[in-house]
Amino acid sequence: MHHSEKTPMLLDRYGRRIDYLRISITDLCNLDCIYCWKGRRTKKRARSNILTYEEILRIVTISSRFGINRIRITGGEPLVRKGFIDFIERLSMIEGIEILMTTNGTFLKGHAKRLYETGVSQLNVSLDSLRENRYRYITKGGGLEDVLCGIDEALNTGIRMKINMVPLRGINEDEADEFIRFGIRYGLDIRFIELMPIAPEWKERFVPNHKIMGRLNGRYTLREVNESIGGGPARYFRIDGEKILIGFISAMSDGFCEGCNRIRLTPDGKIRPCLWDGLEFDLIKRMRAGATDDELALAIQEAIRSKPLRHNMYKINYEGRGMRTLGG
Ligand code: SAM
């Protein structure tokens, strides 16, 4: 979907164009991936502290007026929040936005078709292993078969889909090639995402993306695709003779922030200009105190202008929010 010529675009202080809003609609998840959280399971927040769907729709409507034209629904696991299909349906009525979703895929089966019909144009499925026992270990109990069935169903709808894989040393890093073959077989783009330091054993598990790239280069000829795809920080490559894209998101080892085009909305209603910076702008408080649309727009624009130049990931004193409330 194209935004109209008249839509103003918003640049941050460093000239980065911000047109992408990632919304974590719940901090709850059916899985408990070993690297996503510091070890405790999310305490169920009081429902009243979580944005209602109404409130999210209002924020998206306001944001779409100043150039936010892509919305990603994430979590937690977005498909565990009740009423998400109706929500997506209403979201899709907002003019000028494209709707994307990130999911662990467990509940795609039975929902993929509806998601596509209601207006989700692209799915990113997080899948860290193609081996059942490893998958169960990484996710603390998840069933690989459910995800594969879900992917299969989604493939039949024609929805665009990518697989996101986080290589972990000593666990799944040897599967890069298997993932590429899986991607080629089903026509799925594969993206390798560097592990970010949340869980204490981060250092032992971290695999730099150049290592994965080196390994794949031994088997395939990877050619970098120069046009920017999705405008984000991933670097994309193609294998000669194949259609799929292979992406590398190297938050830790690469110049990552220059291409940043996004802000985030947490389930408890805070705009977060940078994933790895504690700065937040409280929209829920403003909204519930009766702020007007213009006042909310100003707060979001202020958040965009306050976007730091770079993330703070090396200062490994993470301020307590696991990836679940930030949406990855
Ligand atoms: N539940 C959905 C899913 O699994 O895709 C959406 C939320 S999940 C937090 C979004 C993404 O964040 C997943 O691809 C996950 O692998 C990634 N993620 C979580 N913790 C991470 C970490 N420490 N480093 C890198 N990626 C991480």
Side-chain angles (χ1 to χ4, degrees), residues 251-292:
M252 304 306 293
S253 68
D254 206 356
F256 174 70
C257 303
E258 291 93 79
C260 192
N261 58 348
R262 61 203 61 194
I263 52 173
R264 290 175 162 78
L265 179 62
T266 65
D268 56 345
K270 317 286 190 287
I271 290 277
R272 181 119 171 168
C274 169
L275 175 61
W276 280 86
D277 186 285
L279 188 65
E280 293 181 348
F281 291 76
D282 196 339
L283 291 193
I284 202 170
K285 200 164 123 203
R286 287 177 171 85
M287 254 189 299
R288 291 183 184 179
T292 63

